[in-house]
Amino acid sequence: MPIREIPWPAGTPCWVDCQVDDTDRARAFYSALLGWEIADTAPEADGYLMATVRGRPAAGIGPKPAGQIMQSTWTTYLATDDADATAAAVADAGGTVLAPPFDVMDIGRMFVAADPTGAVFGVWQARLHSGAGIYNEPGAYCWNEVHTDGYERAQSFYSQVFGWTFTEVGAGTEMTYATFALEPGGPPVGGIADATGIPDSGPSHWLAWFQVADTDATLTSAAELGGAVLTGPQDSPFGRMGVLSAPQGEAFGVIEISESADSTS
């Protein structure tokens, strides 16, 4: 299984968590749907739950910030070696720092920001918690992408802040899509989609994808557990996929990786 025990390179999607009204309800849904073991954390973590796959950290579930009105959502976190410097870079590049850098006990330092097109993301500076300890495995996240109505502007922003380079893979097809890497010629670590003109795409946002063994069965199970299927199931060059929302409304993708895609990864 793909595992990681040290901090992720700066600019890499390194962690995902969801913010919901009822963490116990989310615990029941995700443990049943994705097979997560979900444990309470320290009392000073204010109700934050840790989901594991094969004993390794895979994702988090937390309550919404007190007094803040917001939709339930999944947040993608990008790794950094210096949260304060990255927050300054976000502001310089035209983004908005929504929650300034702060320490999370002794496990890391983080902030929350929005890119110039409105897509919200987190930034994580690892200390005791390196981020995801398992990935590209059923039940773990396997891909993160930003859907934006300002495609070129978003690319410019992320390139300036994180040094990403982009490779267009959707040109000439039904979609405009690029993968991003940490350096020219490097392996792709995420993607960016032009959401302009896509029906019901909503505001610019980040979307987290979890790998599953059977997409059709997962979507059926999600509906039975109180979620809703938003798109799919449908086949892609990378596998059979679908997007759904959990009972409290947070959206995420699931994908059953095809053998051909898995053999080239």
Side-chain angles (χ1 to χ4, degrees), residues 66-94:
Q68 184 172 330
I69 299 175
M70 59 178 287
Q71 293 183 332
S72 296
T73 187
W74 276 98
T75 299
T76 292
Y77 292 79
L78 307 174
T80 183
D81 298 325
D82 187 331
D84 295 83
T86 302
V90 165
D92 289 344

PDB file of all heavy atoms in Angstrom, residues 66-94:
ATOM      1  N   ALA A  66     -17.194  27.661  15.363  1.00  0.00           N
ATOM      2  CA  ALA A  66     -18.297  28.217  16.148  1.00  0.00           C
ATOM      3  C   ALA A  66     -18.685  29.594  15.646  1.00  0.00           C
ATOM      4  O   ALA A  66     -17.826  30.449  15.404  1.00  0.00           O
ATOM      5  CB  ALA A  66     -17.898  28.283  17.626  1.00  0.00           C
ATOM      6  N   GLY A  67     -19.981  29.785  15.464  1.00  0.00           N
ATOM      7  CA  GLY A  67     -20.497  31.078  15.069  1.00  0.00           C
ATOM      8  C   GLY A  67     -20.335  31.414  13.601  1.00  0.00           C
ATOM      9  O   GLY A  67     -20.715  32.508  13.173  1.00  0.00           O
ATOM     10  N   GLN A  68     -19.775  30.486  12.814  1.00  0.00           N
ATOM     11  CA  GLN A  68     -19.564  30.755  11.394  1.00  0.00           C
ATOM     12  C   GLN A  68     -20.593  30.020  10.558  1.00  0.00           C
ATOM     13  O   GLN A  68     -20.757  28.805  10.679  1.00  0.00           O
ATOM     14  CB  GLN A  68     -18.155  30.341  10.976  1.00  0.00           C
ATOM     15  CG  GLN A  68     -17.820  30.667   9.525  1.00  0.00           C
ATOM     16  CD  GLN A  68     -16.352  30.418   9.211  1.00  0.00           C
ATOM     17  OE1 GLN A  68     -15.502  30.550  10.077  1.00  0.00           O
ATOM     18  NE2 GLN A  68     -16.059  30.067   7.973  1.00  0.00           N
ATOM     19  N   ILE A  69     -21.291  30.747   9.710  1.00  0.00           N
ATOM     20  CA  ILE A  69     -22.284  30.134   8.825  1.00  0.00           C
ATOM     21  C   ILE A  69     -21.591  29.708   7.537  1.00  0.00           C
ATOM     22  O   ILE A  69     -21.011  30.535   6.824  1.00  0.00           O
ATOM     23  CB  ILE A  69     -23.425  31.116   8.519  1.00  0.00           C
ATOM     24  CG1 ILE A  69     -24.140  31.509   9.811  1.00  0.00           C
ATOM     25  CG2 ILE A  69     -24.414  30.505   7.540  1.00  0.00           C
ATOM     26  CD1 ILE A  69     -25.209  32.568   9.624  1.00  0.00           C
ATOM     27  N   MET A  70     -21.608  28.435   7.246  1.00  0.00           N
ATOM     28  CA  MET A  70     -20.947  27.912   6.054  1.00  0.00           C
ATOM     29  C   MET A  70     -21.571  26.587   5.667  1.00  0.00           C
ATOM     30  O   MET A  70     -22.209  25.912   6.483  1.00  0.00           O
ATOM     31  CB  MET A  70     -19.449  27.713   6.311  1.00  0.00           C
ATOM     32  CG  MET A  70     -19.142  26.756   7.460  1.00  0.00           C
ATOM     33  SD  MET A  70     -17.374  26.463   7.742  1.00  0.00           S
ATOM     34  CE  MET A  70     -16.963  25.428   6.332  1.00  0.00           C
ATOM     35  N   GLN A  71     -21.441  26.229   4.413  1.00  0.00           N
ATOM     36  CA  GLN A  71     -21.895  24.933   3.957  1.00  0.00           C
ATOM     37  C   GLN A  71     -20.929  23.859   4.451  1.00  0.00           C
ATOM     38  O   GLN A  71     -19.736  24.106   4.651  1.00  0.00           O
ATOM     39  CB  GLN A  71     -21.970  24.890   2.431  1.00  0.00           C
ATOM     40  CG  GLN A  71     -23.032  25.799   1.828  1.00  0.00           C
ATOM     41  CD  GLN A  71     -23.090  25.656   0.317  1.00  0.00           C
ATOM     42  OE1 GLN A  71     -22.105  25.335  -0.345  1.00  0.00           O
ATOM     43  NE2 GLN A  71     -24.260  25.903  -0.231  1.00  0.00           N
ATOM     44  N   SER A  72     -21.439  22.651   4.626  1.00  0.00           N
ATOM     45  CA  SER A  72     -20.548  21.528   4.902  1.00  0.00           C
ATOM     46  C   SER A  72     -19.666  21.321   3.674  1.00  0.00           C
ATOM     47  O   SER A  72     -20.143  21.409   2.534  1.00  0.00           O
ATOM     48  CB  SER A  72     -21.361  20.260   5.194  1.00  0.00           C
ATOM     49  OG  SER A  72     -22.132  20.426   6.373  1.00  0.00           O
ATOM     50  N   THR A  73     -18.394  21.042   3.887  1.00  0.00           N
ATOM     51  CA  THR A  73     -17.472  20.998   2.754  1.00  0.00           C
ATOM     52  C   THR A  73     -16.251  20.151   3.058  1.00  0.00           C
ATOM     53  O   THR A  73     -15.869  19.975   4.221  1.00  0.00           O
ATOM     54  CB  THR A  73     -17.023  22.431   2.390  1.00  0.00           C
ATOM     55  OG1 THR A  73     -16.259  22.408   1.192  1.00  0.00           O
ATOM     56  CG2 THR A  73     -16.192  23.046   3.503  1.00  0.00           C
ATOM     57  N   TRP A  74     -15.647  19.628   2.008  1.00  0.00           N
ATOM     58  CA  TRP A  74     -14.331  19.017   2.098  1.00  0.00           C
ATOM     59  C   TRP A  74     -13.286  20.069   1.767  1.00  0.00           C
ATOM     60  O   TRP A  74     -13.455  20.843   0.817  1.00  0.00           O
ATOM     61  CB  TRP A  74     -14.203  17.840   1.130  1.00  0.00           C
ATOM     62  CG  TRP A  74     -14.746  16.562   1.697  1.00  0.00           C
ATOM     63  CD1 TRP A  74     -15.981  16.013   1.472  1.00  0.00           C
ATOM     64  CD2 TRP A  74     -14.069  15.689   2.603  1.00  0.00           C
ATOM     65  NE1 TRP A  74     -16.116  14.851   2.198  1.00  0.00           N
ATOM     66  CE2 TRP A  74     -14.961  14.627   2.898  1.00  0.00           C
ATOM     67  CE3 TRP A  74     -12.807  15.707   3.201  1.00  0.00           C
ATOM     68  CZ2 TRP A  74     -14.613  13.588   3.756  1.00  0.00           C
ATOM     69  CZ3 TRP A  74     -12.461  14.666   4.062  1.00  0.00           C
ATOM     70  CH2 TRP A  74     -13.360  13.623   4.328  1.00  0.00           C
ATOM     71  N   THR A  75     -12.202  20.095   2.526  1.00  0.00           N
ATOM     72  CA  THR A  75     -11.106  21.033   2.294  1.00  0.00           C
ATOM     73  C   THR A  75      -9.845  20.264   1.928  1.00  0.00           C
ATOM     74  O   THR A  75      -9.483  19.296   2.610  1.00  0.00           O
ATOM     75  CB  THR A  75     -10.832  21.885   3.546  1.00  0.00           C
ATOM     76  OG1 THR A  75     -12.005  22.638   3.865  1.00  0.00           O
ATOM     77  CG2 THR A  75      -9.662  22.844   3.314  1.00  0.00           C
ATOM     78  N   THR A  76      -9.200  20.689   0.861  1.00  0.00           N
ATOM     79  CA  THR A  76      -7.891  20.157   0.479  1.00  0.00           C
ATOM     80  C   THR A  76      -6.810  21.059   1.060  1.00  0.00           C
ATOM     81  O   THR A  76      -6.884  22.285   0.952  1.00  0.00           O
ATOM     82  CB  THR A  76      -7.748  20.105  -1.048  1.00  0.00           C
ATOM     83  OG1 THR A  76      -8.639  19.109  -1.568  1.00  0.00           O
ATOM     84  CG2 THR A  76      -6.324  19.751  -1.461  1.00  0.00           C
ATOM     85  N   TYR A  77      -5.798  20.451   1.683  1.00  0.00           N
ATOM     86  CA  TYR A  77      -4.680  21.188   2.259  1.00  0.00           C
ATOM     87  C   TYR A  77      -3.432  20.975   1.401  1.00  0.00           C
ATOM     88  O   TYR A  77      -3.135  19.851   0.989  1.00  0.00           O
ATOM     89  CB  TYR A  77      -4.391  20.713   3.684  1.00  0.00           C
ATOM     90  CG  TYR A  77      -5.481  21.074   4.659  1.00  0.00           C
ATOM     91  CD1 TYR A  77      -6.654  20.323   4.732  1.00  0.00           C
ATOM     92  CD2 TYR A  77      -5.357  22.171   5.502  1.00  0.00           C
ATOM     93  CE1 TYR A  77      -7.676  20.658   5.612  1.00  0.00           C
ATOM     94  CE2 TYR A  77      -6.363  22.514   6.396  1.00  0.00           C
ATOM     95  CZ  TYR A  77      -7.516  21.751   6.444  1.00  0.00           C
ATOM     96  OH  TYR A  77      -8.528  22.088   7.321  1.00  0.00           O
ATOM     97  N   LEU A  78      -2.714  22.063   1.149  1.00  0.00           N
ATOM     98  CA  LEU A  78      -1.470  22.017   0.395  1.00  0.00           C
ATOM     99  C   LEU A  78      -0.301  22.169   1.363  1.00  0.00           C
ATOM    100  O   LEU A  78      -0.342  23.004   2.269  1.00  0.00           O
ATOM    101  CB  LEU A  78      -1.451  23.133  -0.652  1.00  0.00           C
ATOM    102  CG  LEU A  78      -2.677  23.159  -1.583  1.00  0.00           C
ATOM    103  CD1 LEU A  78      -2.641  24.385  -2.483  1.00  0.00           C
ATOM    104  CD2 LEU A  78      -2.751  21.882  -2.411  1.00  0.00           C
ATOM    105  N   ALA A  79       0.723  21.366   1.167  1.00  0.00           N
ATOM    106  CA  ALA A  79       1.853  21.369   2.086  1.00  0.00           C
ATOM    107  C   ALA A  79       2.717  22.612   1.909  1.00  0.00           C
ATOM    108  O   ALA A  79       2.853  23.149   0.808  1.00  0.00           O
ATOM    109  CB  ALA A  79       2.701  20.117   1.855  1.00  0.00           C
ATOM    110  N   THR A  80       3.294  23.047   3.006  1.00  0.00           N
ATOM    111  CA  THR A  80       4.261  24.142   2.972  1.00  0.00           C
ATOM    112  C   THR A  80       5.321  23.902   4.036  1.00  0.00           C
ATOM    113  O   THR A  80       5.077  23.198   5.028  1.00  0.00           O
ATOM    114  CB  THR A  80       3.588  25.503   3.228  1.00  0.00           C
ATOM    115  OG1 THR A  80       4.563  26.539   3.106  1.00  0.00           O
ATOM    116  CG2 THR A  80       2.994  25.584   4.629  1.00  0.00           C
ATOM    117  N   ASP A  81       6.491  24.490   3.833  1.00  0.00           N
ATOM    118  CA  ASP A  81       7.534  24.454   4.845  1.00  0.00           C
ATOM    119  C   ASP A  81       7.450  25.650   5.774  1.00  0.00           C
ATOM    120  O   ASP A  81       8.104  25.676   6.821  1.00  0.00           O
ATOM    121  CB  ASP A  81       8.917  24.424   4.172  1.00  0.00           C
ATOM    122  CG  ASP A  81       9.127  23.185   3.314  1.00  0.00           C
ATOM    123  OD1 ASP A  81       8.624  22.112   3.694  1.00  0.00           O
ATOM    124  OD2 ASP A  81       9.787  23.291   2.266  1.00  0.00           O
ATOM    125  N   ASP A  82       6.646  26.663   5.407  1.00  0.00           N
ATOM    126  CA  ASP A  82       6.547  27.896   6.198  1.00  0.00           C
ATOM    127  C   ASP A  82       5.182  28.518   5.957  1.00  0.00           C
ATOM    128  O   ASP A  82       4.964  29.197   4.956  1.00  0.00           O
ATOM    129  CB  ASP A  82       7.657  28.862   5.782  1.00  0.00           C
ATOM    130  CG  ASP A  82       7.748  30.103   6.666  1.00  0.00           C
ATOM    131  OD1 ASP A  82       6.709  30.520   7.218  1.00  0.00           O
ATOM    132  OD2 ASP A  82       8.846  30.666   6.779  1.00  0.00           O
ATOM    133  N   ALA A  83       4.245  28.262   6.859  1.00  0.00           N
ATOM    134  CA  ALA A  83       2.874  28.737   6.678  1.00  0.00           C
ATOM    135  C   ALA A  83       2.808  30.256   6.601  1.00  0.00           C
ATOM    136  O   ALA A  83       2.043  30.815   5.805  1.00  0.00           O
ATOM    137  CB  ALA A  83       1.991  28.217   7.813  1.00  0.00           C
ATOM    138  N   ASP A  84       3.585  30.950   7.409  1.00  0.00           N
ATOM    139  CA  ASP A  84       3.513  32.408   7.429  1.00  0.00           C
ATOM    140  C   ASP A  84       4.007  33.002   6.112  1.00  0.00           C
ATOM    141  O   ASP A  84       3.387  33.931   5.565  1.00  0.00           O
ATOM    142  CB  ASP A  84       4.323  32.946   8.603  1.00  0.00           C
ATOM    143  CG  ASP A  84       3.732  32.528   9.943  1.00  0.00           C
ATOM    144  OD1 ASP A  84       4.011  31.398  10.385  1.00  0.00           O
ATOM    145  OD2 ASP A  84       2.976  33.309  10.531  1.00  0.00           O
ATOM    146  N   ALA A  85       5.091  32.466   5.583  1.00  0.00           N
ATOM    147  CA  ALA A  85       5.602  32.960   4.311  1.00  0.00           C
ATOM    148  C   ALA A  85       4.636  32.657   3.180  1.00  0.00           C
ATOM    149  O   ALA A  85       4.433  33.485   2.278  1.00  0.00           O
ATOM    150  CB  ALA A  85       6.967  32.344   4.016  1.00  0.00           C
ATOM    151  N   THR A  86       4.003  31.483   3.211  1.00  0.00           N
ATOM    152  CA  THR A  86       3.056  31.135   2.165  1.00  0.00           C
ATOM    153  C   THR A  86       1.807  32.007   2.251  1.00  0.00           C
ATOM    154  O   THR A  86       1.246  32.400   1.225  1.00  0.00           O
ATOM    155  CB  THR A  86       2.680  29.646   2.250  1.00  0.00           C
ATOM    156  OG1 THR A  86       3.877  28.854   2.148  1.00  0.00           O
ATOM    157  CG2 THR A  86       1.734  29.244   1.131  1.00  0.00           C
ATOM    158  N   ALA A  87       1.360  32.330   3.467  1.00  0.00           N
ATOM    159  CA  ALA A  87       0.210  33.222   3.620  1.00  0.00           C
ATOM    160  C   ALA A  87       0.510  34.585   3.007  1.00  0.00           C
ATOM    161  O   ALA A  87      -0.344  35.191   2.339  1.00  0.00           O
ATOM    162  CB  ALA A  87      -0.165  33.363   5.092  1.00  0.00           C
ATOM    163  N   ALA A  88       1.710  35.078   3.212  1.00  0.00           N
ATOM    164  CA  ALA A  88       2.097  36.360   2.611  1.00  0.00           C
ATOM    165  C   ALA A  88       2.118  36.248   1.091  1.00  0.00           C
ATOM    166  O   ALA A  88       1.680  37.165   0.378  1.00  0.00           O
ATOM    167  CB  ALA A  88       3.463  36.794   3.135  1.00  0.00           C
ATOM    168  N   ALA A  89       2.589  35.119   0.574  1.00  0.00           N
ATOM    169  CA  ALA A  89       2.628  34.910  -0.872  1.00  0.00           C
ATOM    170  C   ALA A  89       1.227  34.835  -1.461  1.00  0.00           C
ATOM    171  O   ALA A  89       0.980  35.329  -2.572  1.00  0.00           O
ATOM    172  CB  ALA A  89       3.410  33.639  -1.198  1.00  0.00           C
ATOM    173  N   VAL A  90       0.299  34.225  -0.732  1.00  0.00           N
ATOM    174  CA  VAL A  90      -1.095  34.159  -1.177  1.00  0.00           C
ATOM    175  C   VAL A  90      -1.657  35.564  -1.351  1.00  0.00           C
ATOM    176  O   VAL A  90      -2.283  35.891  -2.369  1.00  0.00           O
ATOM    177  CB  VAL A  90      -1.946  33.344  -0.177  1.00  0.00           C
ATOM    178  CG1 VAL A  90      -3.444  33.575  -0.411  1.00  0.00           C
ATOM    179  CG2 VAL A  90      -1.629  31.860  -0.292  1.00  0.00           C
ATOM    180  N   ALA A  91      -1.450  36.414  -0.357  1.00  0.00           N
ATOM    181  CA  ALA A  91      -1.957  37.788  -0.434  1.00  0.00           C
ATOM    182  C   ALA A  91      -1.290  38.557  -1.567  1.00  0.00           C
ATOM    183  O   ALA A  91      -1.952  39.304  -2.303  1.00  0.00           O
ATOM    184  CB  ALA A  91      -1.735  38.492   0.901  1.00  0.00           C
ATOM    185  N   ASP A  92       0.015  38.383  -1.741  1.00  0.00           N
ATOM    186  CA  ASP A  92       0.739  39.085  -2.802  1.00  0.00           C
ATOM    187  C   ASP A  92       0.255  38.671  -4.186  1.00  0.00           C
ATOM    188  O   ASP A  92       0.295  39.466  -5.127  1.00  0.00           O
ATOM    189  CB  ASP A  92       2.238  38.818  -2.687  1.00  0.00           C
ATOM    190  CG  ASP A  92       2.873  39.504  -1.493  1.00  0.00           C
ATOM    191  OD1 ASP A  92       2.247  40.425  -0.932  1.00  0.00           O
ATOM    192  OD2 ASP A  92       3.994  39.114  -1.108  1.00  0.00           O
ATOM    193  N   ALA A  93      -0.218  37.416  -4.314  1.00  0.00           N
ATOM    194  CA  ALA A  93      -0.647  36.902  -5.611  1.00  0.00           C
ATOM    195  C   ALA A  93      -2.124  37.179  -5.900  1.00  0.00           C
ATOM    196  O   ALA A  93      -2.645  36.748  -6.932  1.00  0.00           O
ATOM    197  CB  ALA A  93      -0.375  35.396  -5.690  1.00  0.00           C
ATOM    198  N   GLY A  94      -2.795  37.876  -5.000  1.00  0.00           N
ATOM    199  CA  GLY A  94      -4.196  38.225  -5.236  1.00  0.00           C
ATOM    200  C   GLY A  94      -5.191  37.319  -4.572  1.00  0.00           C
ATOM    201  O   GLY A  94      -6.404  37.459  -4.780  1.00  0.00           O
TER     202      GLY A  94
END
